[in-house]
Amino acid sequence: MAQATHTRKARPISPHLQIWRWGPGMAVSILHRATGSALSFGGLGLLLCWLGCLASGPETYALFLQQAGSWYGRIVLIGISWTYFNHLVSGLRHFLLDIGAGFEVSSNNRWSAISPVIGIVLTAAFWACLLSH
Amino acid sequence: MGNGTSVGRVRGLGSAHSGAHHWLVQRFTAIGNLVLTSWFAVSLLGLPNFSYVTLRDWLVSPVSATGLCLLIISVFWHARLGLQVVVEDYVHEHGAKFAAIAALNLAAFGGAGFGLFSVIRLALGA
Protein backbone atom coordinates (compact mmCIF):
# COMPACT_ATOMS: atom_id res chain seq x y z
CA MET A 1 0.00 0.00 0.00
CA ALA A 2 2.76 2.41 1.03
CA GLN A 3 4.78 1.29 -1.99
CA ALA A 4 1.87 2.01 -4.33
CA THR A 5 1.60 5.53 -2.91
CA HIS A 6 5.30 6.13 -3.58
CA THR A 7 5.29 4.90 -7.16
CA ARG A 8 2.07 6.75 -8.10
CA LYS A 9 2.78 9.87 -10.12
CA ALA A 10 1.85 13.12 -8.43
CA ARG A 11 -1.46 14.26 -9.87
CA PRO A 12 -3.33 17.53 -9.37
CA ILE A 13 -5.73 16.90 -6.51
CA SER A 14 -7.84 19.96 -5.81
CA PRO A 15 -7.80 23.71 -6.36
CA HIS A 16 -4.83 24.77 -4.30
CA LEU A 17 -2.69 27.90 -4.05
CA GLN A 18 0.32 26.18 -5.62
CA ILE A 19 -1.32 24.86 -8.78
CA TRP A 20 -3.44 27.92 -9.61
CA ARG A 21 -2.19 30.92 -11.49
CA TRP A 22 -3.02 34.08 -9.52
CA GLY A 23 -5.77 36.16 -11.07
CA PRO A 24 -8.88 38.07 -9.95
CA GLY A 25 -11.25 35.08 -10.28
CA MET A 26 -8.92 32.77 -8.36
CA ALA A 27 -8.26 35.40 -5.68
CA VAL A 28 -11.95 36.12 -5.04
CA SER A 29 -12.64 32.38 -4.95
CA ILE A 30 -9.98 31.64 -2.34
CA LEU A 31 -11.08 34.74 -0.40
CA HIS A 32 -14.65 33.35 -0.44
CA ARG A 33 -13.39 30.09 1.04
CA ALA A 34 -11.14 31.83 3.57
CA THR A 35 -13.87 34.22 4.77
CA GLY A 36 -16.38 31.35 4.88
CA SER A 37 -14.04 29.30 7.06
CA ALA A 38 -13.29 32.33 9.25
CA LEU A 39 -17.01 33.02 9.65
CA SER A 40 -17.66 29.40 10.60
CA PHE A 41 -15.27 29.66 13.53
CA GLY A 42 -15.08 33.38 14.39
CA GLY A 43 -18.53 34.52 13.29
CA LEU A 44 -20.50 31.60 14.67
CA GLY A 45 -18.31 31.59 17.80
CA LEU A 46 -19.15 35.25 18.36
CA LEU A 47 -22.86 34.64 17.71
CA LEU A 48 -22.95 31.82 20.29
CA CYS A 49 -20.89 33.86 22.75
CA TRP A 50 -23.30 36.79 22.42
CA LEU A 51 -26.44 34.63 22.74
CA GLY A 52 -24.95 32.58 25.59
CA CYS A 53 -24.00 35.72 27.55
CA LEU A 54 -27.47 37.20 26.97
CA ALA A 55 -29.15 33.97 28.10
CA SER A 56 -26.93 33.83 31.20
CA GLY A 57 -28.24 37.16 32.49
CA PRO A 58 -27.33 40.86 32.81
CA GLU A 59 -24.06 40.34 34.77
CA THR A 60 -22.57 37.96 32.18
CA TYR A 61 -23.81 40.14 29.32
CA ALA A 62 -22.07 43.15 30.93
CA LEU A 63 -18.79 41.21 30.62
CA PHE A 64 -19.50 40.63 26.93
CA LEU A 65 -20.22 44.35 26.36
CA GLN A 66 -17.02 45.26 28.20
CA GLN A 67 -14.92 43.00 25.94
CA ALA A 68 -16.80 44.06 22.79
CA GLY A 69 -16.25 47.73 23.60
CA SER A 70 -12.49 47.39 24.14
CA TRP A 71 -10.04 48.20 21.34
CA TYR A 72 -9.29 44.53 20.63
CA GLY A 73 -12.99 43.71 20.81
CA ARG A 74 -13.66 46.38 18.20
CA ILE A 75 -10.94 44.95 15.95
CA VAL A 76 -12.49 41.47 16.22
CA LEU A 77 -16.02 42.81 15.57
CA ILE A 78 -14.95 44.90 12.57
CA GLY A 79 -12.91 41.96 11.22
CA ILE A 80 -15.82 39.53 11.52
CA SER A 81 -18.26 42.03 9.98
CA TRP A 82 -15.85 42.45 7.04
CA THR A 83 -15.60 38.66 6.51
CA TYR A 84 -19.41 38.56 6.59
CA PHE A 85 -19.93 41.30 3.99
CA ASN A 86 -17.12 39.97 1.80
CA HIS A 87 -18.55 36.44 1.88
CA LEU A 88 -22.03 37.86 1.20
CA VAL A 89 -20.92 39.73 -1.92
CA SER A 90 -18.74 36.93 -3.33
CA GLY A 91 -21.62 34.55 -2.55
CA LEU A 92 -23.93 36.73 -4.66
CA ARG A 93 -21.27 36.54 -7.39
CA HIS A 94 -21.48 32.76 -7.15
CA PHE A 95 -25.27 32.91 -7.67
CA LEU A 96 -24.68 34.86 -10.87
CA LEU A 97 -22.06 32.33 -12.03
CA ASP A 98 -24.51 29.52 -11.16
CA ILE A 99 -27.03 30.83 -13.69
CA GLY A 100 -24.25 30.85 -16.29
CA ALA A 101 -23.57 34.58 -16.38
CA GLY A 102 -20.22 36.36 -16.06
CA PHE A 103 -17.90 33.73 -17.47
CA GLU A 104 -16.39 35.94 -20.20
CA VAL A 105 -12.82 36.76 -19.19
CA SER A 106 -13.31 40.55 -19.12
CA SER A 107 -16.55 40.58 -17.11
CA ASN A 108 -15.30 37.77 -14.85
CA ASN A 109 -12.15 39.74 -14.04
CA ARG A 110 -14.12 42.95 -13.55
CA TRP A 111 -16.67 41.50 -11.10
CA SER A 112 -13.97 39.53 -9.31
CA ALA A 113 -12.12 42.79 -8.68
CA ILE A 114 -15.26 44.75 -7.76
CA SER A 115 -16.84 42.30 -5.29
CA PRO A 116 -14.23 42.62 -2.49
CA VAL A 117 -14.47 46.41 -2.87
CA ILE A 118 -18.26 46.25 -2.39
CA GLY A 119 -17.61 44.08 0.69
CA ILE A 120 -15.38 46.80 2.19
CA VAL A 121 -17.89 49.55 1.31
CA LEU A 122 -20.75 47.62 2.97
CA THR A 123 -18.61 47.03 6.08
CA ALA A 124 -17.80 50.75 6.28
CA ALA A 125 -21.46 51.70 5.74
CA PHE A 126 -22.59 49.25 8.44
CA TRP A 127 -20.17 50.69 11.01
CA ALA A 128 -21.00 54.26 10.02
CA CYS A 129 -24.70 53.52 10.72
CA LEU A 130 -23.84 51.67 13.93
CA LEU A 131 -21.61 54.38 15.37
CA SER A 132 -23.88 57.26 14.32
CA HIS A 133 -26.38 56.48 17.11
CA MET B 1 -2.71 -8.25 -11.05
CA GLY B 2 -3.26 -4.56 -10.54
CA ASN B 3 -6.43 -2.70 -9.67
CA GLY B 4 -6.30 -0.56 -12.78
CA THR B 5 -5.71 3.16 -12.97
CA SER B 6 -7.79 5.53 -10.84
CA VAL B 7 -9.82 6.51 -13.91
CA GLY B 8 -10.24 2.88 -14.95
CA ARG B 9 -11.60 1.93 -11.53
CA VAL B 10 -14.46 4.44 -11.66
CA ARG B 11 -15.23 4.39 -15.41
CA GLY B 12 -18.68 3.04 -16.16
CA LEU B 13 -19.96 3.36 -12.61
CA GLY B 14 -22.02 6.47 -13.38
CA SER B 15 -22.41 9.46 -11.11
CA ALA B 16 -22.16 9.24 -7.32
CA HIS B 17 -25.82 10.40 -7.03
CA SER B 18 -25.08 12.46 -3.96
CA GLY B 19 -23.07 15.57 -4.92
CA ALA B 20 -25.95 17.48 -6.49
CA HIS B 21 -27.98 17.39 -3.29
CA HIS B 22 -25.08 18.86 -1.28
CA TRP B 23 -24.59 21.53 -3.93
CA LEU B 24 -28.30 22.48 -3.94
CA VAL B 25 -28.64 22.58 -0.15
CA GLN B 26 -25.54 24.79 -0.01
CA ARG B 27 -27.45 27.24 -2.28
CA PHE B 28 -30.76 26.92 -0.42
CA THR B 29 -29.10 27.66 2.91
CA ALA B 30 -27.16 30.51 1.24
CA ILE B 31 -30.50 32.10 0.27
CA GLY B 32 -31.70 31.55 3.84
CA ASN B 33 -28.53 33.18 5.17
CA LEU B 34 -28.90 36.12 2.79
CA VAL B 35 -32.46 36.86 3.93
CA LEU B 36 -32.01 36.12 7.64
CA THR B 37 -28.62 37.76 8.23
CA SER B 38 -29.73 40.87 6.29
CA TRP B 39 -32.82 41.06 8.51
CA PHE B 40 -30.62 40.55 11.58
CA ALA B 41 -28.12 43.27 10.55
CA VAL B 42 -30.91 45.75 9.81
CA SER B 43 -32.61 44.86 13.13
CA LEU B 44 -29.37 45.51 15.03
CA LEU B 45 -28.96 48.88 13.31
CA GLY B 46 -32.56 49.74 14.27
CA LEU B 47 -32.00 49.21 17.99
CA PRO B 48 -31.43 52.38 20.06
CA ASN B 49 -28.61 50.70 22.05
CA PHE B 50 -27.23 47.23 22.87
CA SER B 51 -28.06 47.10 26.57
CA TYR B 52 -29.33 43.89 28.13
CA VAL B 53 -32.88 45.22 28.55
CA THR B 54 -33.10 46.51 24.95
CA LEU B 55 -31.91 43.20 23.49
CA ARG B 56 -34.10 41.09 25.78
CA ASP B 57 -37.17 43.15 24.89
CA TRP B 58 -36.33 42.75 21.19
CA LEU B 59 -35.72 39.00 21.52
CA VAL B 60 -38.95 38.39 23.46
CA SER B 61 -41.01 39.28 20.38
CA PRO B 62 -42.08 36.09 18.56
CA VAL B 63 -40.91 37.41 15.19
CA SER B 64 -37.38 38.15 16.46
CA ALA B 65 -37.10 34.84 18.30
CA THR B 66 -38.35 32.85 15.30
CA GLY B 67 -36.06 34.77 12.95
CA LEU B 68 -33.01 34.15 15.14
CA CYS B 69 -33.84 30.44 15.50
CA LEU B 70 -34.17 30.10 11.71
CA LEU B 71 -30.93 32.08 11.27
CA ILE B 72 -29.07 29.71 13.60
CA ILE B 73 -30.33 26.65 11.72
CA SER B 74 -29.51 28.15 8.31
CA VAL B 75 -26.00 29.45 9.13
CA PHE B 76 -24.88 26.32 10.99
CA TRP B 77 -26.19 24.10 8.20
CA HIS B 78 -24.42 26.24 5.59
CA ALA B 79 -21.17 26.28 7.60
CA ARG B 80 -21.32 22.51 8.02
CA LEU B 81 -21.69 22.00 4.26
CA GLY B 82 -18.98 24.53 3.42
CA LEU B 83 -16.42 23.19 5.89
CA GLN B 84 -17.17 19.65 4.69
CA VAL B 85 -15.97 20.67 1.22
CA VAL B 86 -12.86 22.29 2.73
CA VAL B 87 -12.08 19.10 4.66
CA GLU B 88 -12.66 16.92 1.58
CA ASP B 89 -10.36 19.14 -0.49
CA TYR B 90 -7.42 19.30 1.91
CA VAL B 91 -7.60 16.20 4.14
CA HIS B 92 -6.75 13.18 2.00
CA GLU B 93 -6.01 10.47 4.53
CA HIS B 94 -9.21 8.43 5.04
CA GLY B 95 -9.02 8.13 8.82
CA ALA B 96 -8.24 11.80 9.35
CA LYS B 97 -10.97 12.81 6.91
CA PHE B 98 -13.54 10.64 8.71
CA ALA B 99 -12.48 12.10 12.08
CA ALA B 100 -12.63 15.68 10.76
CA ILE B 101 -16.12 15.22 9.26
CA ALA B 102 -17.33 13.53 12.47
CA ALA B 103 -15.96 16.40 14.60
CA LEU B 104 -17.52 18.92 12.21
CA ASN B 105 -20.94 17.29 12.52
CA LEU B 106 -20.73 17.22 16.30
CA ALA B 107 -19.61 20.88 16.45
CA ALA B 108 -22.34 22.02 14.03
CA PHE B 109 -25.15 20.25 15.89
CA GLY B 110 -23.72 21.22 19.28
CA GLY B 111 -23.33 24.88 18.32
CA ALA B 112 -26.78 25.11 16.75
CA GLY B 113 -28.31 23.40 19.79
CA PHE B 114 -26.65 25.84 22.18
CA GLY B 115 -27.75 28.84 20.09
CA LEU B 116 -31.35 27.64 19.82
CA PHE B 117 -31.53 26.92 23.55
CA SER B 118 -30.17 30.41 24.37
CA VAL B 119 -32.73 32.13 22.14
CA ILE B 120 -35.63 30.04 23.48
CA ARG B 121 -34.56 30.64 27.08
CA LEU B 122 -34.49 34.40 26.49
CA ALA B 123 -37.74 34.39 24.51
CA LEU B 124 -39.58 32.43 27.20
CA GLY B 125 -38.16 34.65 29.96
CA ALA B 126 -34.67 34.00 31.35
Side-chain angles (χ1 to χ4, degrees), chain A residues 13-16 33 37 40 44 48 50-52 54-55 57-58 61 65 84 88 92 95 98 126 129-130 133, chain B residues 23 27 30-31 34 37-38 40 45 47 50 52 55 72 75-76 79 83 85 89-90 92 111 114-115 118 121-122:
Chain A
I13 36 187
S14 72
H16 207 282
R33 176 166 281 200
S37 303
S40 300
L44 295 186
L48 290 186
W50 180 69
L51 285 171
L54 269 173
Y61 183 65
L65 279 186
Y84 164 71
L88 174 81
L92 288 172
F95 278 138
D98 287 344
F126 178 77
C129 285
L130 203 63
H133 62 256
Chain B
W23 191 92
R27 267 69 186 170
I31 297 166
L34 178 65
T37 59
S38 303
F40 182 54
L45 290 179
L47 292 173
F50 298 110
Y52 178 79
L55 283 166
I72 289 165
V75 293
F76 272 92
L83 288 180
V85 176
D89 277 352
Y90 301 127
H92 301 298
F114 180 79
S118 299
R121 185 176 180 196
L122 279 158

Side-chain angles (χ1 to χ4, degrees), chain B residues 9 36 43 53 55 70 96 110:
Chain B
R9 278 202 300 277
L36 292 163
S43 302
V53 175
L55 283 166
L70 293 176

Side-chain angles (χ1 to χ4, degrees), chain A residues 35-52 80 83-84, chain B residues 33 37 71-80 83 104 107-109 111-112 114-115:
Chain A
T35 51
S37 303
L39 277 172
S40 300
F41 292 98
L44 295 186
L46 175 72
L47 177 68
L48 290 186
C49 195
W50 180 69
L51 285 171
I80 287 174
T83 56
Y84 164 71
Chain B
N33 289 355
T37 59
L71 181 146
I72 289 165
I73 294 168
S74 189
V75 293
F76 272 92
W77 198 349
H78 188 79
R80 198 212 78 88
L83 288 180
L104 171 60
F109 276 87
F114 180 79

Side-chain angles (χ1 to χ4, degrees), chain B residues 35-112:
Chain B
V35 173
L36 292 163
T37 59
S38 303
W39 160 79
F40 182 54
V42 170
S43 302
L44 285 183
L45 290 179
L47 292 173
N49 58 63
F50 298 110
S51 71
Y52 178 79
V53 175
T54 307
L55 283 166
R56 190 197 54 200
D57 289 349
W58 176 71
L59 251 162
V60 157
S61 118
V63 172
S64 309
T66 307
L68 262 184
C69 285
L70 293 176
L71 181 146
I72 289 165
I73 294 168
S74 189
V75 293
F76 272 92
W77 198 349
H78 188 79
R80 198 212 78 88
L81 293 172
L83 288 180
Q84 184 194 336
V85 176
V86 174
V87 168
E88 286 168 351
D89 277 352
Y90 301 127
V91 183
H92 301 298
E93 205 271 311
H94 287 299
K97 188 191 285 185
F98 183 86
I101 301 279
L104 171 60
N105 281 320
L106 290 176
F109 276 87

